[in-house]
Amino acid sequence: MADEAADRPRASARFELSDLLPDGVIEAPMERAGEFVWLIRQGLMAPELIDEMNRRLEHIVGNGLWEQKWDGPSEPPHPDEDA
């Protein structure tokens, strides 16, 4: 049986500094199939910290420790939750 994880495209995850966030918003996680970008308001996080966080994310993603579920939840909802 083929490894399902090996058959999926590799996800991309990173932090980015942005000056395009609306007033009052200091961060905004953005996700779409294959990509996760966490936008941080310019000036609130040092570029060196962004670089370090991106190195760590590259390690996490590159070693298969990050997984996105673009086709919906992988687990059924909890019995106490509305389906």
Side-chain angles (χ1 to χ4, degrees), residues 2 5 8 11 16 22 25 27-28 32 35 41 43 49 51 57 60-61 63 66 70 80-81:
R8 283 193 294 262
E16 283 187 13
V25 175
E27 55 78 38
R32 64 180 174 192
E35 183 177 31
R41 179 174 292 284
L49 181 54
D51 292 343
L57 280 173
I60 290 167
V61 171
N63 286 289
W66 180 282
W70 303 300
D80 293 337
E81 296 176 9

Side-chain angles (χ1 to χ4, degrees), residues 26-60:
I26 62 171
E27 55 78 38
M30 310 295 281
E31 184 175 21
R32 64 180 174 192
E35 183 177 31
F36 179 84
V37 180
W38 202 320
L39 300 175
I40 307 294
R41 179 174 292 284
Q42 190 78 261
L44 295 182
M45 191 179 240
E48 296 84 3
L49 181 54
I50 292 285
D51 292 343
E52 180 62 25
M53 296 299 291
N54 284 334
R55 280 191 290 277
R56 291 176 186 262
L57 280 173
E58 180 62 30
H59 169 79
I60 290 167

